[in-house]
Amino acid sequence: MLIPCPHCGARDHAEFAYSGDAGLSRPAPDAADSVWLDYVYQRNNASGDHVELWHHIYGCRQYIAVSRNLRTHEISGAQFASKPRAES
């Protein structure tokens, strides 16, 4: 599977580390235990289009958000997970 890194171009998936679902929002530190339990352990069994985080560990070392179909593994796009900070 080739992952289109926005910085390095298309690269083999072996250069990346899967970092999880890009759509999850971390609860507040003081959230109820039940909220943390759901965040850590409960996942939907997604099928179809999905956005994932991948870390380009053997390349530019950036985190990217990859749009991928979980049934066909077809990748429809990728972008940096966050905008790079401006240099000061």
Side-chain angles (χ1 to χ4, degrees):
M1 177 170 71
L2 293 178
I3 297 177
C5 177
H7 186 266
C8 304
R11 298 288 193 261
D12 188 77
H13 74 281
E15 291 188 15
F16 296 83
Y18 177 75
S19 296
D21 184 349
L24 291 177
S25 295
R26 186 178 177 91
D30 59 350
D33 289 344
S34 61
V35 174
W36 277 102
L37 181 75
D38 286 345
Y39 171 75
V40 173
Y41 295 107
Q42 301 299 323
R43 296 287 185 263
N44 291 330
N45 189 8
S47 180
D49 294 332
H50 186 66
V51 180
E52 307 166 324
L53 287 175
W54 288 80
H55 184 200
H56 197 178
I57 55 174
Y58 295 117
C60 62
R61 304 194 54 80
Q62 296 294 312
Y63 281 90
I64 60 173
V66 176
S67 300
R68 181 171 72 97
N69 186 298
L70 298 178
R71 284 187 225 138
T72 64
H73 298 291
E74 180 181 350
I75 295 175
S76 59
Q79 62 185 14
F80 289 115
S82 64
K83 293 181 182 177
R85 286 190 252 171
E87 294 184 28
S88 38

